[in-house]
Amino acid sequence: MKKSLLRFRPAEGVLFLAAFILPATALLASGPTPFPCVGSLDVSRFKLLVQPAKGGTPLPVQEVNIIDAGDKVKYEPLHIPPAYRDKAKVALILVAAPKPEAKKKDDKAKADEKKESGQTEESGKEELKEAKADIHVLDALPAKDAETWTAPARASVLGVVFGPHGLDVKKVSSLVDKNPDLIPELTQYAEQTAKVGALVEALTEYQEEPDSDRDLSAALAGFGSQYNVAIPKLDVSATPSQQAAVLLQATMPSLQTLDPISSTPMGMVSQSAGLAGAVATMFFGSPVGLAAGGAALFLNLRTMVFPDSDFRSAFAQPFQTDGMALCAKNEAPKPRTREAYLWMMNVPNTEAPAGSLAETAYLPIGSKTTIKVSIAKPGDPKILPRAHGWELVSAKTHADVPVKVQCGSPDDSLELDLTQTKLPPGEYHLAALWDWEPLQVKGDVDLRPLGDFSKSKISQESADHLVAGTGTVKVELTGADFEFVDKVAMAKAGEKKATPKDLSFDLPKGAAQGDQETLVADVDTSTLAAGNYRLILSQSNGASHDIPMVIHPPNPTLDGLPERANLGESQQTLILRGTRLERIARVTTPDAVWSLGAVKSDDHELTERKAVVKLQAAAHRGDMLAASVFIQDIDEPLKFPDALEVAGPRPKISGVSLSLAQQPDVQLDQGEIPAGAVTSFSLATQNIDAHPTLSLTCANEGYIKSPLVLHPGDRTAAAQLDFSGEDGLFLSVDPGEVGQSGCQLAAMLTTDGVGTSDPVILGRLIRLPRIEKFTLSEDKVDSTLYSGNLTGTDLQIIEKTGWDPKTGYPVQGIPTPVPGSAQEQTLKVELPWPPPSPHAPIYVWLRGETTGRLTDVKY
């Protein structure tokens, strides 16, 4: 915001400027000039400067804190209408400030009196009228020329009288001498004018440069803080006049019916000049909040002393660098009178405050930063904004560089703008000028470069913990100085238009507190899908930088642990069970080597996966080995403390022998065992304990009926199992109870806590027919074949018969039951005559076989 001529707070002295200038109508014909008065009449433009008695560069009066005896007050015209330039004159009025000791005693007496009487703030304004002013009226000089007056005393009130048709100084002196109450009334008016003028300026800037990121209330926050005004929320649908009334009521709660100069009632507010013009017109052309008695007193005096003058209120707006423009309500001149416009401002009349930084201020080069300043005396922060000429002085070279400083909110803060200042890193001190005297803020200012995030990254440990659905993860960033980061957000990678989500974050020492090599941000993965994201770091200069971030899919789980590995095995195949097993890259354990089964590209959400384990020589029985499970794209492995148990050697069936209770009628091939007949097995074993478990099943799927599980000493209708010596087992069983014909009968031994042996095939089950009798008739079927009959059971599985294993003749039809016997059958066959030898045996072909089997049946 621009520096305002009107932003002054009440202080020990008051500068009072009263100007009698040319009629406003003459300005309209003076040619094209800048028009700084929003919604009001542009009256005149000039500079008012102060130069110290001992010499120095003149300063604009609005920047001066003390006008002392001997100081020069310089007037420089910027725009005077040509029609009145040669006639106009300017005079200076000065009211001396009270002596310091007298003021101190007077202030104490008034404070005691106020405390005893319970006097309010509003009634305290009447104290101003009780002051006795030492008033000086200085010479009237031509207004067209630059003029200079010497202050006869430290100024409490200073005024300039500007007359377009000349000026009678005696009448001015008579006015102020005979009416001492005039000065206090105008002092109040000056304070109110400064406040409303600052409001108009703030509104004007907002109208000229609207900001979509803040509303009007936010734009007026600086004004509200400086003048202790609570800015109300404005109704944007209301008219400028209605909004102006709301703002003025908040700014001036005591607004009444008259100002000390104008008796004109409130006029209509222009609708075209916007809210700034509405506030200016409404205030400066209408009531200003003075007591009615005082205003009436001044009106009466004005009529008596200057019956031909029409005094009008005016306010100032900045013009060019150090100039000011007088602005007033645009109204027609009154007959037989001369217009006179009056503007006032306050001089703080205050010594320089003593300020210091509470601690070293670390500031980023190239940014705007706000720092806190501790003030020695209460109330001093209110006048800190009146310092000027701010500089940063190098602690090393003592070189000074101007820096733009703006007082912020609250009053003890300073905003340093280093965006246009080129300074090397290092330690500095903050200095300024209080009028023409140096003012230094004690404490160090450490200028540092903004963080370079080109090499910053998420620490590997943090990256490993970014797993979808696991909750809030503290993500640590490294690789840069993060002290000037003021915002951290995140968004999905590639979604440039998506609104980033702000994240909370922590710095080890706090923001702007020196080197901060780490930053920790909180990322809630509860609702995040796996994928690529970006962390967005913003620094105090508004620049942002993206850091890639990956949210991993949920981690695999393992169920049924521990797995078991046995000593004495070259390697063992295990089946891992759990979830998302395809994401496991490798598994490591002490004293064992793992090889995982391959994963296909389309394998997702695997719940089972093979793994081969090889125990090393250092493994011992009873060891419980921890496993480190490494996951794809994650550096830190998952830990499973009891993953693999080392057990003793597995049980083993080292030999098998069998015997049949009765030889079948049909020959058995090598490795076959008959189904439906009791078979005895002798099993040689190793590594079994006193309670082994024997399991019988079919090694080939599709043939099993019901697995059989036996323990030594068990006896059932179909099987029995007993020990046969220290390392032997005797098994008696009908294999047909376990599986169907074709079943590869397998036996396995299990010892609790150790494991199960490899399966051993006892034999291939086969169901054979039982042939009790064979007859061959004389019924000739053709020239060589004669009809015969087989009698027995299970004859349906016979497909052919013959006298040798190579030549067979199909059976005739299907078996026929024998009357009176539920199981016995007869089957018609055909054989050639004569047989190859007397009492030749018969061969039978079982269904699906290509070679005949020898039987015990003979012709």
Side-chain angles (χ1 to χ4, degrees):
M1 183 174 287
K2 297 178 291 186
K3 186 178 294 183
S4 171
L5 303 179
L6 304 171
R7 288 183 185 164
F8 305 137
R9 299 180 180 275
E12 295 181 6
V14 178
L15 175 63
F16 163 44
L17 175 63
F20 295 84
I21 61 174
L22 301 178
T25 53
L27 289 176
L28 301 178
S30 59
T33 55
F35 189 80
C37 297
V38 178
S40 57
L41 181 65
D42 190 349
V43 177
S44 181
R45 301 160 204 172
F46 56 88
K47 287 185 181 181
L48 195 64
L49 308 173
V50 178
Q51 184 179 37
K54 60 184 179 181
T57 302
L59 295 176
V61 71
Q62 55 267 29
E63 294 184 5
V64 175
N65 297 290
I66 298 173
I67 300 178
D68 216 338
D71 290 349
K72 307 296 183 181
V73 179
K74 294 178 175 291
Y75 165 85
E76 295 180 7
L78 296 177
H79 179 78
I80 303 297
Y84 302 96
R85 184 176 299 138
D86 295 333
K87 298 179 182 179
K89 289 190 176 182
V90 178
L92 197 68
I93 302 175
L94 184 146
V95 180
K99 299 294 183 181
E101 282 301 318
K103 181 181 182 303
K104 184 175 181 181
K105 292 179 181 180
D106 186 54
D107 288 345
K108 184 177 184 305
K110 289 182 179 180
D112 292 342
E113 182 182 350
K114 184 176 180 180
K115 183 175 180 182
E116 292 174 1
S117 62
Q119 192 176 20
T120 65
E121 183 69 23
E122 193 66 29
S123 63
K125 294 180 179 179
E126 296 297 324
E127 295 173 0
L128 291 171
K129 298 181 180 181
E130 300 173 5
K132 299 298 182 181
D134 182 10
I135 301 173
H136 304 268
V137 180
L138 305 184
D139 295 336
L141 303 173
K144 67 177 181 179
D145 302 323
E147 304 292 355
T148 301
W149 296 270
T150 300
R154 176 173 287 202
S156 173
V157 176
L158 190 67
V160 174
V161 182
F162 186 103
H165 298 286
L167 187 63
D168 188 341
V169 175
K170 293 182 180 180
K171 287 187 177 182
V172 176
S173 300
S174 175
L175 171 65
V176 296
D177 286 341
K178 295 179 180 180
N179 302 282
D181 290 337
L182 175 60
I183 297 303
E185 294 287 353
L186 294 179
T187 299
Q188 293 182 52
Y189 178 59
E191 294 173 2
Q192 295 166 337
T193 299
K195 184 185 296 186
V196 178
L199 174 60
V200 171
E201 183 183 352
L203 290 170
T204 301
E205 290 188 359
Y206 180 75
Q207 290 175 193
E208 292 176 350
E209 299 180 7
D211 188 344
S212 58
D213 294 334
R214 60 175 183 169
D215 59 14
L216 179 57
S217 297
L220 294 176
F223 163 78
S225 174
Q226 183 174 356
Y227 287 96
N228 196 27
V229 174
I231 301 300
K233 186 70 175 180
L234 297 177
D235 181 1
V236 294
S237 63
T239 65
S241 178
Q242 292 169 330
Q243 295 183 62
V246 173
L247 282 175
L248 281 176
Q249 183 60 36
T251 305
M252 313 280 296
S254 61
L255 197 66
Q256 295 181 18
T257 59
L258 294 171
D259 71 21
I261 301 176
S262 176
S263 60
T264 304
M266 183 185 302
M268 295 299 294
V269 178
S270 172
Q271 299 296 319
S272 61
L275 185 55
V279 170
T281 302
M282 185 175 291
F283 177 80
F284 293 103
S286 60
V288 191
L290 292 179
L297 170 64
F298 178 70
L299 291 173
N300 293 333
L301 291 173
R302 181 186 66 184
T303 303
M304 290 186 295
V305 180
F306 294 113
D308 60 346
S309 298
D310 181 14
F311 283 87
R312 297 184 180 183
S313 302
F315 68 102
Q317 288 286 272
F319 179 71
Q320 295 182 353
T321 304
D322 300 326
M324 60 183 74
L326 284 184
C327 308
K329 182 179 180 182
N330 191 359
E331 57 186 356
K334 294 180 181 181
R336 295 181 299 277
T337 60
R338 293 182 299 175
E339 293 84 358
Y341 296 88
L342 181 62
W343 172 78
M344 293 148 290
M345 61 173 289
N346 296 329
V347 173
N349 201 27
T350 303
E351 302 293 340
S356 63
L357 302 178
E359 56 186 9
T360 299
Y362 297 92
L363 306 186
I365 297 174
S367 298
K368 291 182 179 180
T369 308
T370 299
I371 61 176
K372 296 290 185 180
V373 179
S374 298
I375 304 301
K377 295 184 298 181
D380 276 2
K382 301 290 184 180
I383 61 173
L384 189 60
R386 295 197 57 82
H388 66 98
W390 290 93
E391 296 177 332
L392 281 173
V393 181
S394 171
K396 184 176 182 180
T397 65
H398 302 291
D400 52 12
V401 177
V403 61
K404 186 177 180 180
V405 174
Q406 182 171 337
C407 293
S409 175
D411 298 307
D412 60 348
S413 65
L414 294 177
E415 183 185 77
L416 275 66
D417 186 353
L418 304 180
T419 56
Q420 305 299 323
T421 304
K422 295 183 179 180
L423 289 172
E427 289 189 357
Y428 293 80
H429 299 292
L430 192 59
L433 290 175
W434 190 259
D435 294 348
W436 299 270
E437 300 298 325
L439 181 153
Q440 185 172 5
V441 178
K442 295 181 180 179
D444 295 330
V445 175
D446 191 344
L447 296 189
R448 308 174 62 83
L450 288 162
D452 178 8
F453 298 147
S454 60
K455 296 182 180 180
S456 59
K457 61 180 181 179
I458 298 174
S459 69
Q460 189 60 53
E461 182 180 0
S462 296
D464 289 346
H465 292 158
L466 286 169
V467 176
T470 56
T472 299
V473 177
K474 291 193 174 297
V475 178
E476 182 185 57
L477 302 180
T478 62
D481 179 11
F482 300 98
E483 65 175 304
F484 297 125
V485 172
D486 57 13
K487 182 180 179 181
V488 179
M490 68 170 290
K492 191 81 172 177
E495 296 182 359
K496 296 298 184 182
K497 295 184 178 180
T499 301
K501 179 182 179 182
D502 290 346
L503 304 177
S504 60
F505 67 97
D506 293 310
L507 292 167
K509 303 177 185 176
Q513 293 295 316
D515 282 337
Q516 315 261 345
E517 299 299 327
T518 60
L519 179 150
V520 177
D522 293 332
V523 176
D524 187 359
T525 66
S526 300
T527 59
L528 295 179
N532 295 322
Y533 293 79
R534 54 193 177 99
L535 282 180
I536 307 166
L537 304 186
S538 299
Q539 298 195 91
S540 54
N541 67 341
S544 63
H545 181 84
D546 290 358
I547 297 178
M549 180 177 71
V550 176
I551 302 296
H552 302 289
N555 285 330
T557 63
L558 291 177
D559 301 331
L561 298 180
E563 296 286 347
R564 182 185 294 125
N566 297 92
L567 296 172
E569 304 284 339
S570 59
Q571 66 181 36
Q572 283 180 272
T573 298
L574 308 178
I575 302 297
L576 297 178
R577 292 176 175 83
T579 60
R580 305 177 190 87
L581 302 183
E582 75 281 356
R583 297 196 63 233
I584 299 178
R586 60 192 176 97
V587 178
T588 63
T589 56
D591 305 330
V593 176
W594 292 69
S595 297
L596 294 173
V599 175
K600 298 178 181 178
S601 60
D602 57 350
D603 283 338
H604 298 290
E605 301 290 333
L606 284 184
T607 57
E608 291 188 355
R609 188 173 178 184
K610 288 184 179 181
V612 175
V613 176
K614 297 179 181 180
L615 290 177
Q616 303 298 291
H620 296 86
R621 178 183 298 185
D623 288 349
M624 190 68 74
L625 306 181
S628 296
V629 179
F630 292 85
I631 312 302
Q632 293 174 359
D633 303 321
I634 295 180
D635 188 67
E636 182 181 357
L638 302 179
K639 300 292 186 179
F640 294 88
D642 298 324
L644 187 65
E645 179 185 5
V646 179
R650 286 188 300 152
K652 184 178 182 181
I653 299 175
S654 55
V656 178
S657 59
L658 63 84
S659 64
L660 300 175
Q662 180 181 356
Q663 290 297 322
D665 299 330
V666 179
Q667 177 184 326
L668 291 170
D669 287 344
Q670 182 69 31
E672 292 181 335
I673 52 178
V678 176
T679 304
S680 296
F681 297 92
S682 177
L683 306 178
T685 66
Q686 297 177 9
N687 307 322
I688 63 173
D689 60 9
H691 305 284
T693 299
L694 178 67
S695 300
L696 297 175
T697 186
C698 294
N700 49 344
E701 297 180 359
Y703 292 90
I704 190 168
K705 287 183 179 180
S706 178
L708 188 60
V709 178
L710 298 169
H711 300 88
D714 287 348
R715 285 173 173 75
T716 68
Q720 70 178 54
L721 181 67
D722 289 300
F723 281 110
S724 61
E726 183 176 353
D727 294 319
L729 291 172
F730 176 78
L731 171 66
S732 179
V733 64
D734 177 0
E737 296 294 323
V738 178
Q740 300 174 347
S741 182
C743 165
Q744 296 286 347
L745 184 64
M748 293 176 290
L749 280 173
T750 300
T751 298
D752 289 343
V754 176
T756 300
S757 69
D758 290 333
V760 173
I761 303 300
L762 301 182
R764 177 177 176 269
L765 268 67
I766 187 168
R767 185 166 292 278
L768 298 175
R770 182 182 177 188
I771 303 175
E772 297 176 354
K773 183 174 64 175
F774 166 65
T775 59
L776 188 64
S777 71
E778 295 181 356
D779 295 336
K780 192 174 184 181
V781 178
D782 60 20
S783 59
T784 59
L785 295 176
Y786 289 84
S787 176
N789 284 295
L790 293 177
T791 303
T793 58
D794 292 328
L795 302 182
Q796 72 276 2
I797 60 178
I798 297 175
E799 186 177 19
K800 297 179 183 179
T801 58
W803 297 115
D804 60 61
K806 296 182 179 179
T807 306
Y809 301 91
V811 299
Q812 302 298 306
I814 61 174
T816 301
V818 176
S821 175
Q823 302 295 327
E824 198 170 14
Q825 303 167 322
T826 61
L827 178 66
K828 288 185 178 182
V829 298
E830 294 179 352
L831 290 173
W833 182 264
S837 64
H839 307 292
I842 291 181
Y843 287 83
V844 296
W845 276 255
L846 304 184
R847 292 189 180 278
E849 295 183 345
T850 59
T851 303
R853 292 174 180 262
L854 179 65
T855 70
D856 291 340
V857 179
K858 298 180 181 180
Y859 172 70

